Amino acid sequence: MKKILTLLLSLSFTILFCQKIELKKVTDSSQLFKGEIAGVPITMQLHYAGIADCSLYQYFVEGWYYYDKYQKKLPLTGIYDYGKLALYNFGTKHKQNSSKLKEQITSPQKVEKIAETAQNLNPKESIIFGEDQTKENPISGKFHLGNKVLPAQLFTGNDMIYRYNNYLILPNNKKINTFDFINQHGGNELISYVSGEKGNRVLLYFEHSSNFNACGRCGASEGEKGYRVLYFTKDWNYKRYEEFLTESCLENIYDTVETKSKDGKTIQIKVGKSDSLPAHTLTVYIKNALIVKSK
C-alpha cells in the first residue's frame, strides 16, 4: 500500500512539474479585420504608419479594404484616435493626398480636426468607426460615398492597430494575452508558476510606461514597476489577478527598499506611503508564485 501511495505521489509530482508555462512577447503593428458595409462582407488590413505628435493613442494608419466578393483592394489612409478610426480613400490622387493629410496633422488639436482637413482634400470615400467611443463588439461606423451614408461594422471589440501583446502559453493548449485582461502596456516577465489541487498561480514582474502619451502626465517618467499574481483554476482557466506596485509615477511610489534572502527564495520590499495606500511591506515568495502584503 505504501509503495502504491509513493508511486501515485511521484506521478502527481512529475505531472505537476512537467506543466510548462511560457510568456511570448509580440508587438503588432498591423491588424486584419472582418466587417461589413451596408450588410456586404468586407476585409480590411491596416498598419501603423507613425505617431501624429507624441502619443501612442493617436497615430497614422495606412492599408486597404476590399469587398469579399470581388477582392479588389482599395487603398486607405487615416488616423487612430483613442479608439476612433477615421479612414479615407482619395481615389486617383490617393498617394498624393495621403501625404498632404499627414503633413497637416501635426498635433492633438489637429487630430481632432481630421474630418475637416480630409474633406478639403476631396476624399472619394470615407469610413469612420468608433465615433460613440463605446467598447462594443462589433464596432459600428459609417461609410460615406458622395451624398450616400451607409452603416458599417468591424467585427471586433478593439480596433487598436499598434499592440504590445504578452501571450501566456498554458497547459491544455490554452493561451491568454495580458493585453486583453490586464492593460495595453505589456512589459511582463515570467518569474515562476505553481500548481495545486485548489488552483494554479503565475507570478509576473512588470515594467512599462505610465502613459502612452509622452506629453501627458508621467509620459516622460521611468514608468510603472511591480509584480502581478495571476490566479487560475486547476484546469488553467483564468480567474483574476492581483497587482503590487513597487515604483509608480501615477501613484507617487518611489524609493522602495528591497532585500533578497540569502537562499534567494524570497524578496522583501518596503513600500512607503503613496497617494492611495499607507506604507506597507511586500514579501515575494518566488518559487511559490505568491506575494503577501503586510503593514
Side-chain angles (χ1 to χ4, degrees):
M1 186 67 184
K2 284 185 178 180
K3 288 183 179 180
I4 294 173
L5 182 58
T6 303
L7 178 61
L8 288 173
L9 287 172
S10 176
L11 285 172
S12 297
F13 184 85
T14 302
I15 292 169
L16 174 65
F17 287 95
C18 281
Q19 294 188 112
K20 187 178 179 182
I21 312 295
E22 293 181 81
L23 189 146
K24 293 185 178 180
K25 298 180 181 182
V26 179
T27 300
D28 285 344
S29 59
S30 177
Q31 301 295 332
L32 185 70
F33 299 110
K34 290 291 187 178
E36 63 181 28
I37 295 173
V40 181
I42 64 166
T43 297
M44 179 182 292
Q45 185 170 48
L46 299 172
H47 65 264
Y48 169 82
I51 295 177
D53 182 26
C54 56
S55 174
L56 255 182
Y57 294 112
Q58 296 175 314
Y59 46 80
F60 296 110
V61 297
E62 292 179 352
W64 51 262
Y65 84 97
Y66 62 57
Y67 292 95
D68 291 358
K69 183 177 180 180
Y70 303 106
Q71 298 194 10
K72 180 183 177 182
K73 293 180 180 178
L74 303 169
L76 293 171
T77 191
I79 283 279
Y80 172 89
D81 179 18
Y82 287 87
K84 176 183 174 182
L85 273 173
L87 306 169
Y88 303 94
N89 176 311
F90 294 105
T92 56
K93 294 185 177 181
H94 185 79
K95 188 174 182 180
Q96 177 185 350
N97 286 355
S98 292
S99 296
K100 287 182 178 180
L101 183 68
K102 287 183 180 179
E103 288 169 3
Q104 295 179 52
I105 305 297
T106 57
S107 70
Q109 292 75 24
K110 291 184 177 180
V111 168
E112 293 174 5
K113 296 181 178 180
I114 188 172
E116 180 183 331
T117 305
Q119 288 307 314
N120 291 335
L121 296 171
N122 300 313
K124 181 180 178 181
E125 302 172 341
S126 61
I127 316 174
I128 313 298
F129 290 107
E131 279 188 298
D132 53 9
Q133 298 289 304
T134 58
K135 301 282 186 180
E136 293 183 353
N137 187 352
I139 297 173
S140 60
K142 293 178 181 177
F143 173 82
H144 301 258
L145 175 62
N147 293 324
K148 290 183 179 179
V149 181
L150 303 172
Q153 289 185 320
L154 284 183
F155 299 147
T156 179
N158 191 327
D159 58 1
M160 197 173 193
I161 310 302
Y162 199 93
R163 305 183 185 186
Y164 294 112
N165 301 296
N166 284 184
Y167 293 103
L168 270 173
I169 313 301
L170 304 169
N172 304 330
N173 297 314
K174 293 180 179 179
K175 179 173 75 171
I176 59 174
N177 187 358
T178 63
F179 179 94
D180 296 323
F181 67 94
I182 294 180
N183 62 34
Q184 300 169 351
H185 291 267
N188 293 287
E189 300 287 345
L190 177 62
I191 302 301
S192 63
Y193 50 90
V194 66
S195 299
E197 276 302 310
K198 293 184 179 180
N200 308 318
R201 291 189 303 275
V202 172
L203 177 63
L204 303 177
Y205 174 76
F206 68 89
E207 290 187 11
H208 61 66
S209 62
S210 300
N211 190 344
F212 279 147
N213 184 357
C215 299
R217 181 192 172 205
C218 294
S221 73
E222 293 190 9
E224 311 295 297
K225 300 176 184 179
Y227 292 88
R228 295 181 177 118
V229 179
L230 279 58
Y231 296 88
F232 300 83
T233 66
K234 64 180 181 180
D235 296 322
W236 289 101
N237 294 315
Y238 172 72
K239 293 168 63 179
R240 62 187 177 90
Y241 80 94
E242 288 183 298
E243 184 170 283
F244 304 88
L245 288 167
T246 58
E247 185 175 319
S248 170
C249 175
L250 296 173
E251 293 290 335
N252 195 25
I253 297 174
Y254 297 104
D255 301 321
T256 55
V257 179
E258 184 175 306
T259 306
K260 196 168 187 177
S261 64
K262 290 182 180 180
D263 59 11
K265 293 182 180 180
T266 62
I267 302 172
Q268 189 177 79
I269 305 166
K270 293 187 180 296
V271 182
K273 183 181 178 181
S274 68
D275 289 347
S276 60
L277 292 171
H280 57 277
T281 298
L282 301 174
T283 304
V284 183
Y285 296 92
I286 298 172
K287 289 187 177 181
N288 205 27
L290 182 66
I291 295 179
V292 175
K293 180 179 174 182
S294 57
K295 293 182 179 180

